[in-house]
Amino acid sequence: MATGAVLAIAAMALTGCSSDSGSDSSSNIGLSEEAAAALEVAYTGVGTELNLDSIKDVPKDVNLYVVSCGEQVPGCSVPAAAVKAAAEKLGWTATIADGKLNPEGFATAIRQGVAGGANVIIPIGIGCGVAQAAFQEAVDAGVKIIGGGGVDDCDPKLWASERLWLEDFNPIQQWEEFGKLQADYAFGKHNGEVNAIVLNFTGQVFGQWITDGFTKELEALGNKGKVLETVDVSDPETQDGSMLQKVNTAILNNPDANTLIVPIDGWLVGGLAQAIVQSGSAEQLLVVSRGGDAPVLDMIRAGGQGVNATIGFAVGWGAWGSVDTAARVLSGGTPAWIGESMQAVDVDHNMPKSGGYEGAVDYQKVFSSAWGK
């Protein structure tokens, strides 16, 4: 059980992030008051602290399986590796099973965990509904499922716990916040004159929530911003490359578009950014993605690579939070609010010196202290 002693090591100990976490005066020249305010909201972001009660009796001899959504993309492989590292910090056995970016792969990886004698399975970026039968088999075998960024959208719910973000946000609102910050950034950069093409991920429920967050915030910001076209993109289309033609067609059909909203950084690394550059659309479009993966941040640092900004999300922080959640559940305690940060990252704001987005808290130190390590 958690003790009453709060480890308030929320210190803003920067872990490589730029000291310029907000908008500077030069970036706001010529912007309306509303646009400047929206840009500041995007740069400030949400979730900047981590306060944890300590865990009195951390369970030992735990066999944990991490089900990665797909080891070929950093958005899955990086948090999967971070979960493994966090589990090993606790002295647990940890194994990564590759979900290979498709529901059949997710199910196979979950069953691999069951066959391997897992006590805990943490699915990275995978919701319950896309592999419900396999999750049910795991639960029936006595495995605790702990969320790794996805949501338990099964009915009835199957997971022992989702990973909790912030107390004022439910899981849908958390995903909507990504889209909201994308809208704030685009609105600020275009001084309110947003003509957007929005890519909507249909492979999991959170894709629509990101899109909803963008459209709702753009509407709330004022009638000068509008969505010209929403393009549905499925997992098979990203894997066979047909997504690129769909996006190119949407750009050609909307010559007034000045913004492209991308819900997953991995799509840019997988050929979308290159296609944008080769088509000559990079100069036309402000491309705003989501994730904070290192390869995409490298593109932003270099400039002219088909992406201008992303909503960074501290996936390592979240990964350690999933392990913390598992430890609290297994010890009979209450899961903690993890609160991993998200904020707009561009070449001048919130950009770490190298690598991917990590947020501004030494989260490993905080979690290790809570675990008595």
Side-chain angles (χ1 to χ4, degrees), residues 5 27 43 58 87 99 104 109 115 120 127 150 160 171-172 191 212 219 225 228 244 271 319 324 340 355 358:
S27 66
Y43 286 137
V58 177
E104 293 78 11
V120 175
I172 295 176
N191 204 18
D212 290 344
E219 181 179 353
L228 301 179
L244 302 180
D324 180 86
E340 59 268 34
E358 287 284 314

Side-chain angles (χ1 to χ4, degrees), residues 4 19 28 42 64 94 121 140 159 176 206 232 256 291 314 321 335 351 361:
S19 60
N28 291 341
L64 183 149
I121 290 176
D140 291 344
W159 295 358
E176 287 182 341
F206 65 74
D232 288 341
D256 294 333
M351 178 65 76
V361 170

Side-chain angles (χ1 to χ4, degrees), residues 117-137:
N119 306 111
V120 175
I121 290 176
I122 296 178
I124 299 298
I126 299 169
C128 184
V130 296
Q132 181 167 347
F135 279 124
Q136 183 68 66
E137 292 170 22

Side-chain angles (χ1 to χ4, degrees), residues 18 50 82 114-115 128 153 176 221 232 236 243 268 286 290 292 301 343:
S18 164
L50 178 60
V114 175
C128 184
D153 55 339
E176 287 182 341
L221 286 168
D232 288 341
M243 170 193 68
L268 292 161
L286 176 77
R290 179 204 64 89
R301 293 182 185 105
Q343 58 191 159

Side-chain angles (χ1 to χ4, degrees), residues 10-369:
M12 299 298 287
L14 297 181
T15 55
C17 286
S18 164
S19 60
D20 181 6
S21 61
S23 57
D24 56 41
S25 57
S26 63
S27 66
N28 291 341
I29 293 175
L31 296 184
S32 67
E33 183 177 342
E34 293 80 8
L39 200 56
E40 182 64 30
V41 166
Y43 286 137
T44 300
V46 182
T48 57
E49 296 184 352
L50 178 60
N51 300 290
L52 295 174
D53 292 343
S54 60
I55 305 175
K56 184 177 181 180
D57 296 310
V58 177
K60 299 179 176 62
D61 301 321
V62 174
N63 183 10
L64 183 149
Y65 267 70
V66 192
V67 175
S68 168
C69 41
E71 285 295 276
Q72 60 266 56
V73 295
C76 301
S77 63
V78 170
V83 167
K84 187 174 188 293
E88 291 173 346
K89 179 74 174 181
L90 278 172
W92 295 357
T93 299
T95 304
I96 296 175
D98 187 0
K100 300 182 179 179
L101 294 178
N102 65 79
E104 293 78 11
F106 303 158
T108 297
I110 293 164
R111 292 180 176 122
Q112 181 182 337
V114 175
N119 306 111
V120 175
I121 290 176
I122 296 178
I124 299 298
I126 299 169
C128 184
V130 296
Q132 181 167 347
F135 279 124
Q136 183 68 66
E137 292 170 22
V139 171
D140 291 344
V143 181
K144 300 289 187 185
I145 311 298
I146 303 296
V151 295
D152 186 354
D153 55 339
C154 290
D155 185 14
K157 292 184 178 295
L158 295 176
W159 295 358
S161 178
E162 295 172 328
R163 186 174 73 215
L164 304 182
W165 188 45
L166 296 170
E167 194 167 1
D168 295 336
F169 289 77
N170 63 39
I172 295 176
Q173 291 169 326
Q174 177 182 357
W175 286 101
E176 287 182 341
E177 192 68 16
F178 286 116
K180 176 185 179 298
L181 293 177
Q182 287 178 316
D184 289 325
Y185 183 84
F187 188 91
K189 281 293 184 178
H190 285 306
N191 204 18
E193 300 283 354
V194 178
N195 294 322
I197 297 170
V198 177
L199 306 187
N200 178 56
F201 177 44
T202 62
Q204 297 203 46
V205 292
F206 65 74
Q208 187 61 55
W209 297 338
I210 297 172
T211 298
D212 290 344
F214 178 86
T215 55
K216 287 193 289 188
E217 179 68 358
L218 195 62
E219 181 179 353
L221 286 168
N223 58 16
K224 290 193 294 183
K226 55 183 176 290
V227 174
L228 301 179
E229 185 174 347
T230 299
V231 181
D232 288 341
V233 178
S234 66
D235 278 323
E237 289 171 320
T238 64
Q239 293 176 39
D240 67 16
S242 59
M243 170 193 68
L244 302 180
Q245 184 57 53
K246 289 183 74 171
V247 175
N248 186 58
T249 299
I251 294 171
L252 291 175
N253 289 341
N254 295 280
D256 294 333
N258 59 15
T259 302
L260 179 67
I261 299 299
V262 181
I264 298 174
D265 272 0
W267 292 1
L268 292 161
V269 180
L272 179 58
Q274 183 180 12
I276 290 169
V277 172
Q278 289 179 343
S279 69
S281 302
E283 296 181 4
Q284 169 191 348
L285 297 171
L286 176 77
V287 180
V288 187
S289 188
R290 179 204 64 89
D293 296 349
V296 169
L297 295 194
D298 285 341
M299 293 177 186
I300 296 172
R301 293 182 185 105
Q305 301 295 305
V307 57
N308 305 94
T310 189
I311 305 303
F313 187 55
V315 296
W317 178 344
W320 280 60
S322 290
V323 175
D324 180 86
T325 302
R328 293 177 192 276
V329 168
L330 292 176
S331 66
T334 302
W337 302 98
I338 301 305
E340 59 268 34
S341 63
M342 64 169 74
Q343 58 191 159
V345 181
D346 62 19
V347 69
D348 296 316
H349 303 86
N350 302 317
M351 178 65 76
K353 293 179 181 178
S354 62
Y357 176 80
E358 287 284 314
V361 170
D362 188 352
Y363 60 84
Q364 294 190 21
K365 180 179 181 181
V366 181
F367 283 117
S368 296
S369 297

